[in-house]
């Protein structure tokens, strides 16, 4: 930990960027009415606080000193009225500014999420998921303060100060000037304190992050610590980091310890000035005692709006940093292009043609080389090959998760780049090896919340693939909750659900990436039957791991290092004694034994 | 408050500073309450028109008293709040040193995030009790007593009337604080849902795209966002109510004072300065009354956190260590023996190892193969005592390892775990983890054996390159080779490799094995592997199946046996053939 590294220091930029601010304000536009209302309420409510010392002055000078009990009563009632009125407005003001902030960030968050849904799969490949999650959650969240207190409340603080100044000068401008002589010191002190605390807070955060990452790492690596007998040394290292965190906190205690008494001292200096200078005027009958009283109260009112204003700086700074990150994501244009005038697909028969297809994830590393083949409607093709042969890439480009480098892919004779990619995908169902189940119910996982898929269809699909039996045994059947990606379900059950999902969408073309994980014989039999049901009457591409699937396929395509090496039926290829024969020995022969038993 | 009693010993550690701090609180309050008295006297004198020459004196007294109060207030924070930070440090240190000795089972049963929450959130909550809660409760107590006594001396009637609203203030803060806490938790739950939704969507983006479910996902996300908004607004509703109510209560109190005090002035029972002083005292009382309600909440939260910490402090500790004085062996030669060893991870869990008997003479090598879950890792974890055998015993040089000090056992073992774990530090610090005083030549020599030195040459700062989060990312193979170098550095009598080359390509692996052969002469080696190429030259090969030894012998013997091992061997030959096409 000896070395300092810039990445753990929080990089904070400037507090104001006109371009970013303009874009942010664009999100407030739909709520302009709220903003205007809030500002108007602010002007009103800001004056009610400073009104009270003035009323008190009248009470003292005109009523109390004149022995006017009735008048004193009236003023007291007026004071209460002002207070209640202020409280009520304050309530609505806080409520509406928060509503404004919440609605704005809701719009922003939805817009951002909607944008992510359009981004290409390759964007997701190269972007850590955690980072994207942070953008739509925490980064958006940190703008909340800007929209609630940042924009509207700046007006509130300014108006309060203006009202106080107004009343003071109205009552007695000379005394007002004298009292205000401490103001520069107060403002300077407050902003200096803010700056120091901000710096110190940043250091504390840095040390806390260090403490956390140390703990995180050493809890994960606890075994290593023990294997190397390092408990004592590690405790010492921890003490060092823990100590840095403590010392920085103690440093920030110092700022608070100086600041609060400092503010008291400044306002007491103002009071002292009022008594000394104003007191002289009282004796000479230039001003009344009520004036002194009112001024003493005003000195105590100044502090809060100034402190609030100084806090706005932090809010702006955080907001600028977050919004910059958000807009970067929002401006990313990694889309797979849709044609402007898409050719409609209507009923797909299911003919698939690959014409001299070359494909690479990265420019120079070709994964598929010059692939050509034709699959006729209703045919099942099994693709076999070792890991890295390029089997998965065929799926990825057929569904336009990625675009190919050269060549053409045709569905029913139409180039897939000429078709709306969403329409294309809706004709194809994919069953992936790792079954991805979403948070929700069994029902929503089969129907994928598609309104075009009725409950009857969901149940019928589940019955067809044989999933219905175990689903009926769940406490809530189809409404059983799916938690943590289906952690409570077995591997076989998850597979059956994903089969039901594919069947419910009734695709013309089915792509199946068979799972390799072993299941018990009973489940295996169920899965085999389900696969047969699934493939019936559809064009299918299967990345096959099951001997039964391969045998039932119309055609077998043997891939190796991005090329098609052999093609034919199971028997034909076995006779060839080539690559397929070897793969068969390696991957499928054991299943033969099981089958023959 | 039962759980917070644990803190007693920490408080006692800072007894003197704590008592001084309490003394400062009293002194500071004495000066604070003096200021309104001065203002009262000055205004009263002004009302009688006799004060002009005394005005400077009053002004100076006001500033002087505030200054003195401020100095002591500064000292309060410098004592009590500083103590709270120090105790926080002590607590966290004790926490860490304690969990370093907890059994590894604890780490299996508790997520890292969960353990960290104890060290950060819970300790912070306790710190709030030690610092602010202690400071404000004493401050409040002292101030309320002094201020109310003085106010009553000025006018007990006005005091009584104007104090009526203030208890509501404490009550309000207490109740609202509790509600805010509850509603805030609800918000955080929704926020977690929102995060999970985004996380899940981004992870499953392929499925979503292939089922053209994007629009529906957006709608679902929007629904969650709206629920989140609704929960936020629920909190806003109380918070928005809180501040105005606070102002209303304190304002009422002051207005009552003006009205009752003013009436008294008209009736000539009080002077205007008296009323001003009363109002100023009310101002001084407001914060303590707020703090009072707040403090109760802090104490309740601290109590709950302390309970969680206390629970942790009663967790099961790591395996018993006989210590170096009572250790039967201090130098290990390297003979390893399993005698009737059975193991299970918990009371109600099935046996992972069953009645294992095996002896590896010092200087020999043993390879272990078997399917996932056959007990390979569990078996070798028993040697450095990461876990203890449930039944039977593990022996080193013929002595039960429980009778040898942990330090000696672990010092004699070089362990390369399945998942190569490196710390986010320099390569050098990682490699020399077990031997901080290693020489340059030792480091390069060992790195060469592990086939790691070539990689290091390509790193921007060689051995000084930082790895992990704050530095460069190593490939799986590089991590494994670094981890091997680290194990070799300590010159272990026994080297244990737990599938340590899974991410290393076969050629490099062969080079490593070649280099190790010289290094491991006269040392005992145990290696778990899936590759026949790794294990074939071992003195003995063991095939584990469901926690039992299924086959054992040399490569040739096992091939002849034509059982599990021979099957694996043939498959790997085929794989190699296909790879080479």
């Amino acid at each position: 930990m000896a070395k300092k590294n810039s990445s753990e220091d929080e990089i904070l930029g400037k507090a104001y960027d006109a371009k970013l601010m303009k874009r942010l304000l664009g999100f407030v536009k739909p709520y302009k009415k709220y903003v205007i209302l809030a500002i108007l309420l602010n002007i009103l409510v800001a004056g009610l606080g400073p009104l009270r010392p003035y009323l008190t002055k009248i009470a003292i000078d005109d009523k109390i000193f004149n022995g006017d009990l009735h008048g004193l009563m009236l003023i007291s009632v007026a004071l209460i009225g002002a207070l209640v009125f202020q409280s009520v407005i304050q309530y609505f003001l806080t409520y509406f500014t928060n509503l404004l902030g919440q609605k704005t960030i809701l719009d922003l968050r939805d817009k951002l999420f909607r944008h992510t849904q359009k981004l290409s799969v390759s964007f997701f490949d190269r972007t850590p998921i955690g980072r994207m999650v942070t953008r739509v959650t925490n980064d958006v969240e940190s703008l909340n303060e800007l929209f609630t207190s940042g924009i509207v409340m700046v007006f509130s603080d300014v108006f309060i100060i203006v009202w106080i100044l107004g009343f003071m000068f109205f009552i007695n401008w000379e005394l007002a000037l004298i009292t205000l002589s401490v103001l520069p010191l107060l403002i300077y002190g407050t902003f200096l304190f803010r700056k120091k605390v901000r710096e110190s807070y940043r250091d504390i955060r840095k040390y806390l992050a260090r403490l956390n990452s140390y703990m995180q790492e050493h809890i994960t690596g606890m075994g290593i610590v023990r294997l190397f007998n390092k408990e004592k040394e590690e405790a010492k290292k921890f003490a060092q980091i823990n100590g840095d965190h403590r010392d920085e906190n103690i440093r920030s205690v110092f700022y608070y310890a100086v600041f609060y008494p400092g503010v008291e001292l400044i306002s007491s200096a103002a009071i002292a000035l009022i008594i000394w200078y104003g007191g002289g005027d009282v004796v000479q009958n230039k001003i009344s005692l009520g004036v002194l009283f009112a001024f003493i109260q005003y000195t105590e009112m100044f502090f809060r709006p100034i402190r609030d204003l100084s806090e706005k700086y932090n809010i702006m700074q955080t907001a600028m940093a977050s919004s910059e990150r958000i807009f970067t994501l929002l401006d990313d244009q990694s889309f797979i292009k849709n044609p402007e005038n898409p050719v409609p697909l209507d009923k797909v028969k299911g003919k698939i043609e690959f014409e001299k297809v070359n494909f690479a994830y990265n420019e120079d590393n070709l994964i598929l080389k010059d692939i050509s083949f034709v699959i006729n409607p209703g045919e099942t093709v099994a693709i076999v090959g070792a890991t890295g042969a390029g089997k998965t890439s065929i799926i990825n480009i057929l569904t336009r998760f990625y675009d190919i480098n050269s060549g053409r892919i045709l569905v029913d004779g139409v180039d897939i780049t000429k078709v709306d990619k969403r329409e294309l995908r809706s004709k194809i169902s994919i069953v992936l090896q790792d079954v991805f189940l979403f948070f929700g119910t069994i029902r929503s996982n089969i129907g994928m919340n598609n309104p075009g898929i009725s409950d009857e269809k969901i149940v019928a699909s589940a019955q067809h693939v044989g999933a219905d039996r175990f689903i009926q045994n769940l406490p809530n059947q189809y409404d059983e909750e799916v938690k943590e990606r289906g952690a409570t379900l077995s591997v076989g059950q998850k597979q059956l659900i994903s089969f039901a999902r594919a069947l419910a969408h009734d695709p013309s073309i089915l792509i199946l990436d068979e799972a390799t994980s072993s299941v018990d014989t009973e489940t295996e039999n169920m899965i085999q039957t389900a696969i047969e049901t699934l493939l019936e009457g559809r064009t299918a591409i299967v990345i096959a791991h099951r001997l039964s699937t391969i045998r039932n396929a119309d055609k077998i395509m043997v891939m190796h290092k991005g090329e098609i090496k052999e093609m034919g039926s199971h028997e034909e290829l076995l006779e060839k004694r080539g690559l397929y024969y070897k793969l068969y020995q390696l991957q499928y022969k054991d299943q033969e034994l099981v089958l023959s038993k | 408050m039962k759980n917070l009693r644990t803190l007693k010993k920490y408080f006692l550690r800072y007894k003197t500073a704590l008592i001084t701090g309490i003394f400062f609180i009293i002194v500071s309050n004495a000066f604070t309450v003096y200021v309104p008295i001065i203002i009262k006297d000055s205004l009263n004198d002004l009302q009688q028109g006799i004060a002009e020459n005394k005005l400077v004196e009053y002004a100076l007294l006001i500033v002087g008293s505030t200054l003195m109060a401020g100095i002591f207030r500064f000292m309060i924070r410098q004592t009590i709040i500083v103590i709270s930070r120090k105790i926080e440090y002590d607590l966290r240190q004790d926490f860490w040193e304690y969990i370093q000795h907890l059994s590894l089972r604890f780490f299996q049963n508790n997520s890292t995030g969960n353990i960290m929450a104890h060290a950060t959130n819970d300790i912070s909550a306790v710190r709030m009790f030690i610092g602010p809660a202690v400071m404000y409760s004493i401050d409040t107590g002292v101030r309320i007593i002094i201020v109310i006594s003085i106010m009553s001396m000025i006018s007990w009637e006005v005091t009584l009337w104007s104090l009526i609203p203030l208890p509501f203030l404490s009550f309000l803060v207490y109740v609202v604080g509790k509600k805010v806490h509850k509603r805030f938790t609800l918000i955080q739950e929704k926020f977690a849902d929102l995060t999970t939704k985004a996380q899940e969507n981004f992870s499953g983006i392929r499925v979503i795209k292939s089922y053209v479910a994007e629009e529906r996902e957006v709608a679902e996300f929007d629904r969650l966002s709206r629920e989140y908004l609704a929960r936020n607004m629920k909190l806003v509703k109380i918070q928005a109510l809180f501040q105005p109510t606070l102002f209303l209560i304190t304002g009422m109190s002051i207005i009552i004072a003006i009205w009752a005090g003013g009436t008294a002035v008209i009736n000539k029972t009080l002077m205007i300065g008296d009323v001003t002083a009363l109002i100023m005292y009310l101002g001084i009382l407001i914060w303590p009354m707020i703090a009072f309600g707040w403090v109760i909440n802090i104490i309740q939260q601290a109590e709950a956190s302390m309970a969680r910490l206390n629970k942790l402090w009663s967790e099961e500790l790591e395996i018993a260590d006989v210590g170096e004085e009572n250790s039967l062996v201090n130098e290990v030669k390297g003979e390893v023996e399993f005698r009737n060893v059975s193991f299970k991870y918990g009371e109600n869990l099935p046996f992972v190892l069953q009645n294992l008997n095996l002896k590896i003479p010092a200087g020999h090598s043993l390879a272990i193969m078997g399917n996932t879950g056959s007990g390979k890792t569990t078996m070798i974890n028993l040697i450095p005592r990461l876990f203890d055998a449930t039944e039977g015993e593990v022996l080193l040089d013929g002595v039960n390892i429980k009778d040898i000090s942990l330090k000696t056992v672990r010092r004699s073992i070089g362990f390369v775990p399945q998942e190569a774990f490196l710390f986010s530090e320099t390569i050098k610090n990682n490699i020399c983890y077990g031997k901080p005083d290693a020489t340059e030549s030792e480091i390069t020599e060992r790195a060469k054996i592990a086939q790691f030195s070539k990689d290091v040459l390509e790193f921007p700062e060689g051995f000084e390159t930082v790895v992990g989060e704050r530095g460069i990312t190593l490939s799986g193979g590089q991590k494994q080779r670094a981890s091997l170098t680290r194990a070799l550095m300590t010159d272990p009598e026994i080297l244990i490799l737990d599938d340590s080359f899974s991410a290393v390509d076969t050629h490099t692996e062969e080079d490593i094995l070649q280099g190790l052969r010289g290094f491991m002469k006269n040392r005992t080696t145990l290696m778990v592997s899936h590759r026949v190429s790794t294990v074939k030259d071992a003195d003995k090969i063991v095939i584990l199946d469901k926690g039992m030894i299924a086959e054992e012998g040399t490569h040739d013997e096992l091939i002849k046996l034509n059982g599990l091992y021979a099957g694996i061997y043939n498959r790997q030959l085929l794989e190699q053939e296909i790879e080479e096409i």
Side-chain angles (χ1 to χ4, degrees), chain A residues 15-30 104 146-147 151 316 320 323 327:
Chain A
Y16 187 77
D17 181 321
K19 247 193 207 157
L20 288 176
M21 198 63 206
K22 206 177 154 196
R23 247 183 119 172
L24 281 172
L25 286 179
F27 284 92
V28 188
K29 230 177 198 165
T104 316
L146 174 78
F147 291 124
I151 296 176
M316 293 285 272
M320 289 300 132
S323 60
F327 289 138

Side-chain angles (χ1 to χ4, degrees), chain A residues 285-570:
Chain A
N285 270 329
K286 277 194 208 155
I287 57 171
S288 63
L289 267 178
V291 173
L292 284 199
F293 183 89
F295 269 79
I296 290 173
Q297 290 208 320
Y298 282 127
T299 56
E300 283 169 357
M301 277 191 165
F302 249 117
F303 172 60
R304 210 173 58 95
I306 290 176
R307 190 191 55 191
D308 284 354
L309 274 178
S310 74
E311 271 167 14
K312 298 289 181 297
Y313 186 86
N314 285 4
I315 295 177
M316 293 285 272
Q317 206 173 27
T318 325
M320 289 300 132
S322 299
S323 60
E324 193 160 9
R325 290 195 290 266
I326 290 170
F327 289 138
T328 309
L329 178 59
L330 210 48
D331 291 341
D332 196 295
Q333 298 291 322
S334 312
F335 304 140
I336 294 278
K337 278 204 190 71
N338 237 0
E340 277 182 23
N341 299 306
V343 180
L345 271 180
D346 295 335
K347 282 245 164 189
V348 169
K349 290 197 205 74
K351 186 173 184 183
I352 299 169
E353 292 161 86
F354 274 52
E355 285 179 5
K356 301 196 166 180
V357 170
N358 282 301
F359 171 67
Y361 291 102
N362 305 318
E363 293 279 312
D364 31 75
N365 193 4
L366 273 189
I367 299 292
L368 294 179
K369 294 167 203 158
D370 204 28
I371 299 282
S372 298
F373 61 84
V374 180
I375 304 173
N376 292 314
E379 268 186 352
T380 297
V381 171
I383 308 178
V384 296
T387 340
K391 295 169 294 184
T392 315
S393 304
I394 294 212
I395 303 180
N396 282 339
I397 56 178
L398 178 60
T399 48
R400 284 199 79 198
F401 282 163
Y402 300 85
D403 271 341
I404 53 179
N405 297 27
S406 65
R408 286 205 307 169
I409 302 173
L410 309 158
V411 168
D412 279 8
V414 183
D415 188 331
I416 56 167
T417 55
K418 303 256 181 337
V419 182
D420 182 346
K421 62 185 179 206
R422 298 156 60 83
E423 195 181 0
L424 171 75
R425 286 174 193 161
S426 70
K427 308 292 183 199
I428 305 173
S429 277
I430 308 183
V431 180
L432 293 175
Q433 238 190 53
D434 283 325
V435 176
F436 199 98
L437 294 186
F438 294 89
F439 188 86
T441 60
I442 300 271
R443 189 190 309 281
S444 71
N445 267 292
I446 294 176
M448 294 289 287
N449 296 318
N450 188 335
I453 295 174
S454 64
D455 279 1
E456 290 76 38
K457 195 162 181 191
I458 288 172
V459 177
S461 307
Q463 281 169 343
H464 256 91
V465 298
D468 185 64
R469 205 159 8 124
F470 87 83
I471 296 173
Q472 292 296 353
N473 283 331
L474 297 170
N476 300 310
Q477 279 103 35
Y478 285 86
D479 293 315
E480 181 76 7
E481 253 187 76
V482 175
K483 286 177 203 151
E484 292 166 55
R485 310 240 169 110
T488 50
L489 299 166
S490 76
V491 179
Q493 289 172 333
K494 281 194 266 189
Q495 294 246 316
L496 292 179
I497 290 176
S498 77
F499 291 161
R501 181 193 281 169
L503 196 64
H505 286 77
D506 195 19
S508 312
I509 299 168
L510 184 92
I511 296 174
L512 173 63
D513 188 0
E514 279 188 329
T516 38
S517 44
S518 50
V519 286
D520 59 87
T521 331
E522 196 194 347
T523 319
E524 175 60 33
N525 289 336
M526 279 172 75
I527 289 176
Q528 282 188 18
T529 324
I531 289 176
E532 277 168 38
T533 318
L534 211 53
L535 300 184
E536 224 170 68
R538 298 173 215 281
T539 309
I541 299 179
V542 187
I543 296 177
H545 295 291
R546 282 190 176 73
L547 189 58
S548 56
T549 318
I550 297 178
R551 280 199 173 150
N552 293 336
D554 297 298
K555 234 186 276 182
I556 297 168
M557 222 158 80
V558 185
M559 293 197 63
H560 193 70
K561 295 183 179 165
E563 288 169 83
I564 297 176
K565 289 279 179 192
E566 293 169 15
M567 201 168 331
S569 72
H570 176 65

Side-chain angles (χ1 to χ4, degrees), chain B residues 5-20:
Chain B
R5 266 184 221 150
T6 320
L7 293 173
K8 196 175 154 193
K9 65 171 180 185
Y10 294 98
F11 277 124
L12 285 177
R13 224 175 267 177
Y14 303 98
K15 204 168 43 189
T16 327
L18 198 64
I19 292 170
T20 325

Side-chain angles (χ1 to χ4, degrees), chain A residues 110 117 217 226 234 439 582, chain B residues 100 102 222 424 433 577:
Chain A
D110 276 5
Q117 298 302 293
E217 192 167 288
R226 294 193 180 165
E234 291 297 349
F439 188 86
K582 284 204 174 110
Chain B
Q100 274 200 344
L102 281 177
D222 177 62
S424 311
Y433 192 64
E577 259 179 70

